[in-house]
Amino acid sequence: MVQSPMSRKLARNGGLFYPVIGFALFVTFLYLAFGDLWGFNFNREEIKLSFVERNGTQFFVDGKAFYINGWNSYWLMDHAVDYSNRPRIKGILQAGAKMGLTVCRTWAFNDGGYNALQISPGRFDERVFRALDHVIAEARKNGIRLMLSLVNNLHAFGGKTEYVKWAEKEGVALSSSNDSFFYDPTIRRYFKNYVKTVLTRRNIYTGMEYRDDPTIFAWELINEPRCMTDPSGDTLQDWIEEMSTFVKSIDRKHLLTVGLEGFYGRKSPKRSSGNPEFWAADLGSDFIRNSMLSTIDFASVHVYPDHW
């Protein structure tokens, strides 16, 4: 049998060909299976997105009118922590894109508890942050923009109650109401630190800081804020003013909204005709007053027709 020059070379090298190929295949498997754990970005396809802007009462992208047609999936980050759930994230974003939807609203928070993004004030779980990175990167691939909410007024996923608990452990903000979230200086500092950390987070998949990523349509300060201990609305208004100014000091590229349900306050002439019931005027929020700040770019209303 006549050996080829390559065969003779491999024979002289002790038959290294197959071990080398085997090692290369093993490395390739690790790269494809676990590469995103180390921040590798497999999909280098660049999606061209521009920031959504507002002019008067109209949203624009690249000088053309932009219309929101979207949905709410608050659970995206939480589910993305488990790698086995990530195909579901991809699937729902792809389905939204095929339906012509443009914006998805989702949580950019989970305070304390299971799969917490913020474990305690100033302590973050990198594993969960990478899950949020993944959600944003996957949305970008599908041309979907995200409206990211920064904290919950309700107990789910921690919310303002968790912030108050953290402060109580430090011996401050001792109150029978979790509304101290809105006025206690220590808790305000906790929240500002959280906001800064999120806005300046560098996505391991896209390489962009969140504040520089046009995939994000807007920030939402808080989901459905209520401050029932101050029905006048002054406490909540002061908090919105301070926090919206703080957000804009870090990020002037993105739009900002409050996250209101849409109730009219005690001083509003529309409280009797526009609210679902009389109690809605005593929750410390006011749709008009809260939305008229120069640092707030657009308003929102949460409608629950089956309940109201």
Side-chain angles (χ1 to χ4, degrees):
M1 180 175 67
V2 179
Q3 287 185 317
S4 68
M6 180 59 72
S7 299
R8 290 194 296 272
K9 183 176 181 181
L10 288 173
R12 288 197 303 272
N13 290 335
L16 293 178
F17 177 75
Y18 292 107
V20 169
I21 290 297
F23 180 74
L25 290 173
F26 176 70
V27 171
T28 300
F29 167 77
L30 290 178
Y31 181 82
L32 293 175
F34 305 107
D36 55 349
L37 290 174
W38 301 301
F40 296 135
N41 184 3
F42 308 137
N43 190 339
R44 295 296 182 180
E45 181 181 353
E46 181 65 23
I47 304 296
K48 299 297 183 181
L49 290 178
S50 299
F51 286 93
V52 178
E53 300 175 322
R54 177 184 62 85
N55 188 352
T57 58
Q58 178 68 62
F59 295 126
F60 287 91
V61 174
D62 294 329
K64 298 179 180 179
F66 177 79
Y67 296 95
I68 295 178
N69 181 20
W71 78 101
N72 185 71
S73 289
Y74 67 89
W75 45 266
L76 295 182
M77 179 184 72
D78 181 62
H79 278 50
V81 176
D82 185 341
Y83 276 76
S84 66
N85 288 331
R86 293 197 174 183
R88 187 183 181 194
I89 309 300
K90 180 178 181 179
I92 194 170
L93 291 169
Q94 286 181 339
K98 289 179 181 178
M99 294 169 64
L101 305 184
T102 56
V103 175
C104 175
R105 177 176 178 264
T106 193
W107 293 169
F109 65 85
N110 190 355
D111 306 303
Y114 182 69
N115 278 346
L117 174 57
Q118 185 174 207
I119 303 169
S120 61
R123 291 184 60 230
F124 297 85
D125 189 333
E126 176 64 19
R127 178 180 60 104
V128 183
F129 239 141
R130 291 187 177 207
L132 183 56
D133 289 347
H134 173 81
V135 170
I136 295 173
E138 198 65 41
R140 182 180 181 85
K141 291 177 186 176
N142 289 280
I144 298 291
R145 288 179 167 84
L146 301 174
M147 183 157 70
L148 298 179
S149 188
L150 296 170
V151 70
N152 205 355
N153 186 80
L154 307 174
H155 289 22
F157 295 88
K160 67 180 186 182
T161 298
E162 191 66 33
Y163 278 86
V164 174
K165 289 180 180 178
W166 288 335
E168 288 177 345
K169 290 180 181 178
E170 297 296 324
V172 297
L174 301 177
S175 170
S176 59
S177 170
N178 61 10
D179 283 347
S180 57
F181 171 85
F182 294 117
Y183 58 77
D184 183 81
T186 298
I187 299 177
R188 287 191 178 199
R189 188 173 68 251
Y190 290 166
F191 185 64
K192 283 183 175 179
N193 180 67
Y194 177 77
V195 168
K196 183 177 180 180
T197 302
V198 171
L199 269 58
T200 59
R201 163 74 178 184
R202 186 174 297 279
N203 192 312
I204 65 166
Y205 301 107
T206 67
M208 287 186 288
E209 291 188 0
Y210 287 7
R211 60 181 171 180
D212 296 326
D213 191 346
T215 309
I216 299 171
F217 162 69
W219 301 107
E220 182 181 86
L221 282 178
I222 179 171
N223 176 52
E224 301 186 347
R226 298 182 180 187
C227 186
M228 299 173 66
T229 55
D230 183 9
S232 74
D234 293 342
T235 298
L236 180 57
Q237 181 72 6
D238 182 67
W239 183 87
I240 294 171
E241 288 182 7
E242 181 173 341
M243 295 308 164
S244 61
T245 300
F246 182 73
V247 169
K248 289 294 186 179
S249 72
I250 300 172
D251 178 3
R252 306 226 28 121
K253 296 178 180 178
H254 286 106
L255 302 174
L256 179 64
T257 191
V258 179
L260 298 165
E261 293 165 276
F263 301 137
Y264 296 102
R266 278 185 171 184
K267 298 179 182 180
S268 174
K270 294 186 177 182
R271 67 185 183 279
S272 58
S273 61
N275 285 342
E277 297 287 350
F278 69 90
W279 47 262
D282 295 325
L283 301 179
S285 64
D286 189 303
F287 176 66
I288 301 298
R289 183 186 182 194
N290 299 155
S291 301
M292 285 186 67
L293 297 170
S294 61
T295 46
I296 299 299
D297 296 297
F298 64 96
S300 66
V301 175
H302 294 186
V303 181
Y304 302 93
D306 290 344
H307 298 284
W308 298 341

